[in-house]
Amino acid sequence: MKVMVVGGGGREHAIIKKIKKSPKVSQIYALPGNGGIAADATCVNIGATDLERIVEFAKENQIEFAVVAPDDPLVLGLVDLLKAEGIPCFGPEKKAAIIEGSKAFSKELMKKYGIPTAEYAIFEDMQKALDYLDSCKIPVVVKADGLALGKGVIIAETLDEAKKAVRDMMEDKVFGESGSRVVIEEFLTGPEVSVLSFTDGKTLIPMVSSMDHKRALDGDKGLNTGGMGTVAPNPYYTEEIARRCEEEIFRPTMEAMNREGRSFSGCLYFGLMITEDGPKVIEYNCRFGDPETQVVLPLLDSDLFDIFLHVSEGTLDRAEVNFSDDAACCVVMASSGYPVKYEKGFAIEIPEDVEDVYIAGAKLSEDGRLLTNGGRVLGVTERGKDIREAIEKAYRSVERISFDNAFYRKDIGKRALAALEK
Ligand code: AMP
Ligand code: GLY
């Protein structure tokens, strides 16, 4: 089949490398892809939110299946447009993607259906939000309702900081219309776990759990980033916690969406916090996580494309979905200065025997060399019999990859290891 993957980061590279192995896939286009993805797919220079041109491209090139990976085209309704042209897709329709597109929607959903999450209040009026903050326990969490490139969440350590966050979002519109509504939320504590799942709205199959490392610097210091590394499985996700999540969160969420007439088909991502009162939802995403995908998919022993087909046909109950008992670790190599300011255009050297390299920000020069072209440049994933081995192997591979101004965290997986040794 001729397949199109919308998106152009490390997550998309991991998806493409995996579906490329399927005997059912004959050709893969990436829109827009990137210089590294170009080794595994035909890159087409159309942006992931250029919906009209994407649909046009799909029609003109007889695309037989589309995978829409990033949040924005999903929330904008790309899947609806492609399906209207008769092109089957992996990814939720617009009315289901709202589970990520609006935090107010997801909080109301959880409240209505009794799904555990932090206490909260929603405001469209700035003065009311500011007044409400006076009654809140500090720290408190202020969130812009809509998509904000992962930056719309402020953990305020003081009342002043919380009020500033509300003003920034509602008055100064630092996140545009995404901040015209805000959610003010109780601050929860506990280890975080990411669980991606396949669902067709009838069956939901959780993938292996993982742990993200969002801060830029070692010891979870520095600014929030798109993710500096991941390990899987997540040691905090014990069998007991997994059972509770399935009963109290995963299945109820799928059923709640069905009852709302917003049946979710695709990858539903649960961002969880394991609190003293049990697991609670911190956020839903309507897509694969980045860089979670880069550790989860390498552990999938089944045919990913076959699973995509089953999800889109509503027959996930008949799909073979098996994960290895191994562990995996992905270390992200970024450009020094990320996530604020960084230089681009340095040559990247990757030895041929380092296989699981997922390129996020790179382009090809005219003479075909791979050059850095973003903050997060690439992720290196290695598998091992346990987390310790996976971490050691991942860092050994990182040391063999080079580009000027490269920077990476040295402690990916350290917290997971400490948890295992407790
Ligand atoms: P989100 O974009 O919703 O995933 O939020 C980004 C990060 O903020 C999460 O991964 C958590 O570390 C943190 N966070 C969000 N909501 C809360 C909360 N209610 N309590 C504590 N931390 C939170
Ligand atoms: N790694 C977090 C996300 O993809 O939203």
Side-chain angles (χ1 to χ4, degrees), residues 193 209 234-250 272 274-279:
V193 178
S209 62
N234 185 322
Y236 290 104
Y237 193 69
T238 59
E239 266 176 43
E240 164 66 9
I241 293 290
R243 190 188 54 74
R244 285 190 66 178
C245 286
E246 293 205 29
E247 276 170 23
E248 297 167 22
I249 295 174
F250 302 165
L272 306 166
I274 315 301
T275 72
E276 278 185 357
D277 302 327

Side-chain angles (χ1 to χ4, degrees), residues 11 100 212 214 226-227 269 283 285 287-292:
R11 164 186 56 200
E100 174 170 3
D212 194 3
K214 285 190 176 155
Y269 167 126
E283 65 162 348
N285 291 329
R287 50 167 177 88
F288 282 98
D290 189 339
E292 284 90 340

Side-chain angles (χ1 to χ4, degrees), residues 103 118 141 143 150 153 155 185-189 192 214 224 273 282-283:
K103 293 197 192 291
V141 185
K143 300 186 174 182
V153 175
I155 315 275
E185 205 172 274
E186 166 201 16
F187 175 75
L188 299 176
T189 52
E192 287 184 58
K214 285 190 176 155
N224 253 320
M273 194 172 269
I282 289 285
E283 65 162 348

Side-chain angles (χ1 to χ4, degrees), residues 71-124:
D71 49 3
D72 350 15
L74 289 167
V75 171
L76 290 170
L78 177 57
V79 166
D80 308 55
L81 298 178
L82 291 167
K83 281 189 181 169
E85 297 295 340
I87 300 166
C89 296
F90 181 82
E93 292 176 5
K94 182 175 183 170
K95 63 176 189 288
I98 192 175
I99 198 164
E100 174 170 3
S102 167
K103 293 197 192 291
F105 170 85
S106 68
K107 295 300 285 189
E108 300 282 54
L109 184 85
M110 288 186 268
K111 184 162 156 190
K112 184 167 169 189
Y113 293 94
I115 298 165
T117 188
E119 292 296 327
Y120 71 99
I122 299 170
F123 296 94
E124 287 178 20

